[in-house]
Amino acid sequence: MNYNVYEKSLNNKKYVVIEKPQNLQLSQIFGCGQAFRFDPVGENVYGGCAFGRYAEFEEKDGDIYINNCDLSEFHEIWKDFFDLDTNYAHIIDSFSHDKHLYKAATYSSGIRILRQQPFETLISFIISQNNNIPRIKKIIENLSMECGEFICEKNNKKYYAFPTAEAICDLGEQKLFELKTGFRAKYIFDAAHKIKNGEIILDKVFSMNTTNAVSYLCNIKGVGPKVAMCSLLFGFSKKDAFPIDVWMKKVLKEHYGESFDLCSFGDNAGVAQQYLFYYERCINNIFA
DNA sequence: GGGCAGGTCTAAG
DNA sequence: CTTAGACCTGCC
């Protein structure tokens, strides 16, 4: 994507401006259910944690302002976080042959697939199973507060980094249960434990194709195809990963028939999934 | 108070 | 290989 970015100072604070980025709308990006740690903290401002930092993003006149950020941090973290090198307009164009998908994509055209930290997405989507978004967010926040590194205090709130596998493993299953994770406590522990002792090596996943990566991640208790696909899409930037949840089952049934061919969505099936998922939930009034 | 929420496990045919 | 039930918890 072609975009211009520059650094500015105001009141002794640095910030980075991304000029008129295409296909980037904060409310859609943080509201579509791919990330659980960002919330509105003002008019057109979203704040939250990623990569061990607290960040605030503001949308003004089509530009994106990143508070307390310099260019080196932008290039180190947020450029890839927002997947800025991907041309989403081009992806949407490639969906134009599919009438329903194209409609969903046009409606959701401000969504980008964030590149989040692999371990965080893995644990977050384990927590998401048979759960609702407000409670998922609360559990993740409690978990981070319990054993994540303290970052800063803002908006009368303390922010903590998402914990490491080691920290979660050391916490133990009982403590995880006490954080109201319910039956997922043993799953979270198993994931953290297997990663801590090297039984699962997340770095290896990057070099696997999506099919192999799914079966690899499914070696973790509580990780099935849906959780694995979400982690691969949002945490390993595998854009062909196609999570099928209750909403997607509904979409596939209504618009594609029972015997749909996943290949028809191509290498960007995961992006298609996110457009369809977001659009479906919006027309069903799930998001405010 | 029963149902439900971005699923997965387990036990049984 | 496919398919019911069960499952923590909190909010409706």
Side-chain angles (χ1 to χ4, degrees):
Chain A
M1 185 178 76
N2 56 333
Y3 59 94
N4 200 21
V5 57
Y6 56 87
E7 187 178 300
K8 287 193 90 171
S9 291
L10 190 66
N11 299 332
N12 257 342
K13 283 186 177 177
K14 281 186 177 175
Y15 57 101
V16 167
V17 182
I18 314 168
E19 268 190 322
K20 310 275 184 280
Q22 299 301 296
N23 305 98
L24 198 169
Q25 197 177 315
L26 296 178
S27 61
Q28 291 193 341
I29 286 178
F30 293 119
C32 70
Q34 61 175 319
F36 299 104
R37 302 209 67 199
F38 286 85
D39 287 304
V41 294
E43 190 79 15
N44 296 319
V45 190
Y46 284 78
C49 299
F51 291 87
R53 316 232 184 176
Y54 173 81
E56 278 183 4
F57 310 107
E58 179 168 7
E59 222 169 276
K60 246 192 309 194
D61 301 324
D63 296 333
I64 297 294
Y65 290 66
I66 309 177
N67 289 333
N68 296 311
C69 179
D70 57 22
L71 274 179
S72 83
E73 180 178 326
F74 169 78
H75 286 293
E76 188 191 337
I77 299 177
W78 309 118
K79 181 172 76 88
D80 287 333
F81 181 67
F82 283 109
D83 196 23
L84 286 178
D85 287 334
T86 298
N87 187 327
Y88 279 78
H90 180 73
I91 294 177
I92 293 173
D93 281 346
S94 76
F95 292 153
S96 61
H97 64 282
D98 181 328
K99 202 169 172 188
H100 180 69
L101 173 56
Y102 191 65
K103 188 175 176 184
T106 306
Y107 180 87
S108 320
S109 62
I111 292 180
R112 290 178 161 268
I113 307 296
L114 296 173
R115 295 173 179 240
Q116 305 179 67
Q117 291 188 291
F119 180 65
E120 176 174 341
T121 60
L122 179 64
I123 299 298
S124 296
F125 282 96
I126 288 175
I127 292 170
S128 81
Q129 66 181 261
N130 195 224
N131 212 341
N132 56 64
I133 291 188
R135 204 165 79 92
I136 297 166
K137 285 183 159 188
K138 182 163 260 180
I139 291 173
I140 292 172
E141 192 183 341
N142 290 341
L143 178 61
S144 301
M145 205 178 301
E146 182 68 30
C147 61
E149 204 168 312
F150 175 73
I151 300 173
C152 69
E153 186 165 352
K154 282 267 166 89
N155 323 309
N156 271 331
K157 219 180 128 178
K158 290 186 176 176
Y159 289 93
Y160 296 83
F162 193 87
T164 61
E166 190 162 273
I168 292 179
C169 185
D170 293 347
L171 199 59
E173 190 180 320
Q174 180 59 34
K175 268 280 186 195
L176 287 168
F177 186 84
E178 288 168 20
L179 290 171
K180 311 293 185 188
T181 53
F183 62 86
R184 306 163 195 82
K186 54 182 177 292
Y187 302 158
I188 299 167
F189 180 77
D190 190 61
H193 179 73
K194 284 197 166 92
I195 289 164
K196 184 187 175 184
N197 72 16
E199 203 173 324
I200 295 282
I201 300 169
L202 292 184
D203 279 344
K204 280 189 179 177
V205 173
F206 284 103
S207 60
M208 297 179 185
N209 66 40
T210 296
T211 308
N212 290 338
V214 168
S215 27
Y216 185 67
L217 292 178
C218 284
N219 287 317
I220 298 166
K221 277 246 177 302
V223 175
K226 158 64 169 65
V227 169
M229 288 287 193
C230 281
S231 182
L232 291 171
L233 180 58
F234 305 125
F236 293 89
S237 43
K238 296 209 179 287
K239 289 197 172 65
D240 60 334
F242 192 83
I244 299 178
D245 67 318
V246 287
W247 290 94
M248 284 309 295
K249 279 179 187 161
K250 181 170 182 283
V251 172
L252 294 177
K253 192 174 178 183
E254 284 176 9
H255 298 276
Y256 298 91
E258 295 291 357
S259 60
F260 94 107
D261 182 14
L262 177 55
C263 296
S264 65
F265 290 121
D267 292 339
N268 290 307
V271 186
Q273 186 273 358
Q274 205 55 17
Y275 292 150
L276 292 167
F277 173 78
Y278 182 72
Y279 180 65
E280 188 66 20
R281 300 213 359 153
C282 284
I283 62 178
N284 282 278
N285 225 354
I286 298 299
F287 301 124

